[in-house]
Amino acid sequence: MITIYNARKIITMNPAHAHTTHVAVRDGKILGTGPLEDLAGWGAYTLDTRFADKVLMPGLIEAHSHLMEGSLWAYTYVGFFDRMSPEGEMQKGCKTLGEVIAKLKEAEAKITDPDAPMPAWSLDPIYFDNVRVTRQDLDQVSTTRPIGIMHASGHILNVNTKALELAGLLRTGVNHEGVPLGKDGMPLGELKGPDVMTPVSPHVGFDRDMLACDETGMLRFGKLCVRAGVTTATDLANKLPEEVVDLFRDVTARPKYPTRIVSLRYHHGISPEELIAHAEALKPQSTEMLRLGKIKVVVDGSIQGFSARLRDPGYFNGAPNGLWYISPEHLAYILENALAKGIHINTHTNGDQATQLVIETMTAALQKHPSPDHRFVLQHCQLADAAQFRKIAKLGLCVNLFANHHFYWGDEHYKLTVGPERAERMNACGTALREGVPMAIHSDAPITPLGPLFTGWCAVNRLTASGRTLGEADKITVAQALHAITLGAAYTLHLDQEIGSIEAGKRADFAVLEDDPEEIGGDGLKDVRVWGTVQGGRIFPVADL
Amino acid sequence: MTLPVTILSGYLGAGKTTLVNAMLRQANGKRLAIMVNEFGDLPIDADLIEAEGDDLIALAGGCVCCSYGDDLIAALGQMAAMVPPPDHIILEASGVALPAAIASSLGLMPDIEVAGIVVLADVGQIEGQLANDYIGDTVVRQLKAADVVVMTKGDIAGQGKAAAAQAAVAAHSGDAAIVEAVQGKLPLDLVLFPARVAVLEVGSPHGNARGLVTQVDTPTGRIDAAEYARALAERPDVIRAKGHVQTVDGLHIVQVVGRQWELRKAPHLAPVGVVVISLTDTENPARQLQPEGA
């Protein structure tokens, strides 16, 4: 059964055949592209004209996200920016603290169980002049129900008095730098950093294993992907216990599930030996729709949390250097053994010292285990400078830069964390490409919204939320951005033989667009309307979600 | 009732696991719960293990060892909820963790009391670690947080190295007592209550490598225990000593605190050996252990 689709334009990402009008599909794979007469030779076909006025691109690839994005939509969204829910409801951003409280009150009134905790997410007080949100603010919503709001960065949790009481923290004498106190000596209700968030988050309804995701969350995540034109997405940090793998295999195998999931085993909590063994055991459990066997290693913390590891001259505000989440010795063990066994490693490095450690450790590991095509990925890699990108290219490493970060926190980085010069070079897409580094760009959803076209817009324009252009020289072109969210991302996942371009033999994964991203230009890239996706030949219109 | 927790810190290879095993061998009826980040290179000597589960190992004498993975707080809660509860938790932090941060997080938990922070430093490695671009500041932050710093593997590194290593440590460890241990030989109380081992300063500046040395003396043959104990008590550098010696009347326990000494017949068989805690700086014997409970 062959179907040939015609489209207003097909952007193939295959330079030999960059633009065309027809694509032939059989059994979920692409037979070929070209004018109709070139494709007719494959045999009897049905001409499907539903995309006649649409633009097709290769299915977009989100190379750094978390399935948790889907789970979070069970909770109240109180972010500053408008954000589309999986069900297609545009949630208005809360522009003042008063609006946050009002939205929480409204949601609270709908909860029938008087004791049920109320979690909310994506608060970002930097947009309210950094006003400190207190437990008294949230007590306006309820004094009897525990309430917790996760900040957009994921690094701070605000809770009400009831939540503090349940966690045993409504007392004087709490002595922790992550727990600011009020004039009464009691915690203010702001909990900074995972050490102080974890003891309280279960009391406000944030499940400990939220990162692992549940069925409902996965289904919602799939809907978000269709809305964003995404046909393959990563789940970048999962412990992947057996029951989660079973769930993922089950859900992704359903005929209506629209997203190929690539889930990475997170290094934390087990020994390097067990990590390597687990990744080896996971790989053969992969399916066409679920890819396992890759490893994520978190090397340092975050820049806005001041826990990233920076080289000189350190943090702009004088904060002490950040934290290592793995020892250099364990990192070396993992890299060496992964090279020897062909396991794909992705390292989270935010600070440039963490990146430098990976570069140096990788240099030594490659001398022991030369590997011509490892494609290990530096994830985030936000502060890398030109010299580092040159090294990265030489070592055969790839980068996946956090282009969205610039928009959401670029102003903070400029003023507070790393200062103007280094804020301008953050997520230096232009430099990476000039130095020949294979590159993807990402949202880190749910930290920022899933949407590769928006991410592309961020990399093309390098604007901050306040409108400042950060790093003119590191802007990239629309063509480069489109490559980064398709074939570039596929390459970093070792999937470029299957996906990332529309060409013979590859999966029939398409983003179906109402607007032409090549025509609309850099300014409009984020506004390209998505009609839906085709995934493995299956059609998923946004309108049917 | 609060459950005391000792935080055992130190960079990779500093000897934390060896020390933990030695502590388990001295537990003597005390129910110790050992918490490790992960069971990777099986941390507990095989002969101490009675039964093994996925993240809990039952040990001889009612002790347990558990791995806390990436959820220390939950694992601590489980330990505290054990019936009967452990007498003491020894929390082995990962090599790059900051013990002060762990201590302040434990402070958020009801019914948990931080008994202190013991930081291990490998005599042969610590100077290199302090000078390392990547981990130097992490090791400094570990040492700054210490109540007691235990210098390990001095026997391998040699005496010359030991003095230099101790000086390097003392530059960062503030008021912490610095003690030497070989093969984890340290009095259990030192590890269980490190915060009580605060050293009184008498007008001497920090950072001159003065501190405490813990050594194990093993007198050979049958000796005159009274004479042995008196000799220890008269040494100006000896602060405390406790252990077993063989006499013509059988095994005896020797105990020395300052100038006081005491002898009694040992109730059980035990290997001969006396742990002697002494000052490294005999010119300045005014530094001494603060009494327990102070």
Side-chain angles (χ1 to χ4, degrees), chain A residues 38-61:
Chain A
D38 282 6
L39 301 172
W42 284 100
Y45 63 86
T46 310
L47 183 67
D48 189 326
T49 59
R50 78 180 83 192
F51 302 142
D53 63 342
K54 313 288 183 229
V55 174
L56 300 188
M57 270 188 71
L60 305 183
I61 300 170

Side-chain angles (χ1 to χ4, degrees), chain A residues 208 309 321 324 329 353, chain B residues 11 71 133-134 137 141:
Chain A
R208 273 179 197 289
R309 291 289 313 191
N321 208 345
W324 295 112
E329 288 82 351
Q353 192 191 32
Chain B
Y11 198 67
D71 201 343
D133 276 351
Y134 291 112
D137 65 312
R141 284 197 253 182

